[in-house]
Amino acid sequence: MATTDLPSGRSGTRTVAGSPRADGPRRTHGAVVAVKNVFVAESSTFYTILGVTLFLVVFGVVMVLSSSSVEQYAATHDFFGAASRQGLYAVLGVPLMLVASRVPARLWRKWAMRILGAALFLQLLVYTPLGIEVQGNRNWVGFGSFTAQPSEAIKLALALGIGAIMYAKRDKLRDWKEIFVPVGIATVLPLGMVLLGGDQGTAMIMLILVLGALYIGGARARHLLAIVVAVGVVLPFVTMASSSRQVRISAWLSGCTDSNQYQDLCWQPVHGMWALASGGVFGVGLGNSKAKWSWLPEADNDYIFAIIGEELGLIGAVVVLALFVVLAVSMIKVIRQSNDPFVRTVTGAILAWIIGQALVNIAVVLGLLPVLGVPLPLISAGGSALIMTLVAIGVVLSFARDLPGRNAVGGPRHDLAPQNGRFR
């Protein structure tokens, strides 16, 4: 190793070509860059989606504790049973979301159809001895004390599958056969399997997801209108196939004015409305709900928004709505800033799924829709729904990390020039 004088006059060492340490500093620099890439500052859209999601998850655990504590104590002498489980699901789901956010879009696209096939296999288990029926819906599987809802995995798998199809057919969007035949096959099978189990609420969310994916993916409006008309024709027959759905819809259409229905079909919607009304503008205070004292069925699940309105008032309910709006706007930014048909389609599907399900749940609590058994995303109690929703948001976060206009380490690029009046 040769020595040379440093500018300061002190002697030092220098590595010459051929020395065993010739590439040491370069390797060290590469390792430093690799570590920095893990902790690199992401876009504001990335952090907005992540921040809103984490807030809703924490808020959901708190509201599950508040809404379930009384009935949990009555059943098990443990106030924290349901909240502890929800917290565990959050502890599992948030890391999975962060892991999903590191997966490149090309890998999601590559594995999309395999993921859809795996989700369909899980849904088939519902019709084996492992299947569990809850309140007339056979849509769960049980492994000992562990239960799961495979249809939640199908939602994400369907979003990825349609995204992969739209990417493969991106040059043939005007030919309806090229789009709707493969998308129809990918949609009808899981949709039929869910409907066979009697879960019309989940099937409705899946339809919203598919329509959102096709619309954002670039399908022609008249073709989408034809699908909507076809669904409108088939929906009454599917609804009337179940006597329980018939009577629920009949009670909803009558406005629950029949006193004979008050103790049965109208008990839940009426008490949900009373809970909202008693909250007023500022609410009765966190933990002070009266409806949760066994007056409101599914207070920690399908009707948790009623408890939010009762305890936190109109202000709390509006804040929850505003957070979902912020989440929707952030996902729309991902769609607008991406040039990848797969990214746009999958993000549109997940946007339609999460925001559409939130609006349906809130509409049910407000009496604008009949009772459908659809939980409020990220807030209602339930492990499968929470974990799969978090993983889906992780997929969107992975897209947000790789938007055009960002350099290799995630920072903004300054070499972009407007082309034809807009940035590409």
Side-chain angles (χ1 to χ4, degrees), residues 80-353:
F80 303 98
S84 298
R85 289 192 297 272
Q86 190 72 0
L88 176 61
Y89 299 143
V91 169
L92 293 174
V94 170
L96 288 175
M97 175 184 68
L98 297 177
V99 170
S101 72
R102 309 300 300 183
V103 178
R106 57 183 175 81
L107 287 183
W108 288 118
R109 185 172 67 245
K110 178 181 178 180
W111 287 90
M113 302 312 294
R114 295 181 179 91
I115 293 173
L116 180 58
L120 290 174
F121 172 76
L122 292 176
Q123 185 65 30
L124 282 174
L125 296 179
V126 170
Y127 307 105
T128 68
L130 295 175
I132 299 175
E133 183 172 323
V134 178
Q135 296 181 358
N137 293 343
R138 191 177 180 86
N139 204 22
W140 283 263
V141 292
F143 304 93
S145 60
F146 172 78
T147 60
Q149 193 172 2
S151 59
E152 294 297 330
I154 284 185
K155 293 175 184 177
L156 176 57
L158 191 57
L160 294 170
I162 295 177
I165 293 171
M166 298 299 283
Y167 179 85
K169 303 291 185 178
R170 60 190 180 278
D171 297 325
K172 302 175 182 179
L173 295 178
R174 289 186 171 274
D175 188 345
W176 69 271
K177 293 181 181 178
E178 292 288 341
I179 299 297
F180 290 99
V181 171
V183 170
I185 295 173
T187 301
V188 170
L189 185 58
L191 197 63
M193 293 170 66
V194 172
L195 282 175
L196 187 62
D199 194 348
Q200 188 173 356
T202 298
M204 178 182 294
I205 302 304
M206 291 170 63
L207 277 175
I208 294 173
L209 182 155
V210 172
L211 290 174
L214 291 174
Y215 176 75
I216 298 298
R220 304 188 72 174
R222 64 183 183 182
H223 296 157
L224 293 176
L225 181 60
I227 295 177
V228 172
V229 172
V231 170
V233 172
V234 174
L235 185 61
F237 296 98
V238 175
T239 301
M240 297 306 169
S242 170
S243 59
S244 63
R245 283 197 294 265
Q246 288 185 44
V247 293
R248 285 204 309 267
I249 293 175
S250 175
W252 171 71
L253 291 174
S254 69
C256 288
T257 55
D258 188 349
S259 59
N260 294 326
Q261 296 176 334
Y262 172 76
Q263 296 288 342
D264 185 15
L265 300 172
C266 293
W267 180 275
Q268 191 171 13
V270 167
H271 281 81
M273 191 65 67
W274 286 356
L276 283 172
S278 64
V281 175
F282 300 103
V284 297
L286 186 64
N288 293 327
S289 167
K290 295 181 177 64
K292 69 182 182 183
W293 289 75
S294 300
W295 290 103
L296 181 60
E298 303 295 337
D300 63 338
N301 198 318
D302 299 346
Y303 269 74
I304 197 169
F305 188 75
I307 303 300
I308 294 172
E310 182 182 10
E311 295 189 347
L312 304 180
L314 177 64
I315 294 177
V318 169
V319 167
V320 171
L321 283 170
L323 289 171
F324 280 110
V325 169
V326 171
L327 192 61
V329 170
S330 300
M331 290 187 182
I332 291 172
K333 286 184 178 180
V334 174
I335 295 170
R336 295 186 62 183
Q337 294 174 13
S338 176
N339 298 321
D340 187 336
F342 175 77
V343 170
R344 293 168 59 87
T345 302
V346 175
T347 305
I350 293 173
L351 167 63
W353 159 19

Side-chain angles (χ1 to χ4, degrees), residues 341-391:
F342 175 77
V343 170
R344 293 168 59 87
T345 302
V346 175
T347 305
I350 293 173
L351 167 63
W353 159 19
I354 296 176
I355 305 304
Q357 183 169 320
L359 293 177
V360 168
N361 174 274
I362 293 170
V364 168
V365 175
L366 295 176
L368 302 176
L369 289 175
V371 178
L372 294 172
V374 175
L376 186 60
L378 301 173
I379 297 179
S380 291
S384 301
L386 177 61
I387 291 174
M388 294 314 303
T389 302
L390 286 172
V391 173

Side-chain angles (χ1 to χ4, degrees), residues 70-82:
V70 172
E71 292 193 356
Q72 280 289 302
Y73 184 80
T76 64
H77 295 283
D78 180 10
F79 286 108
F80 303 98

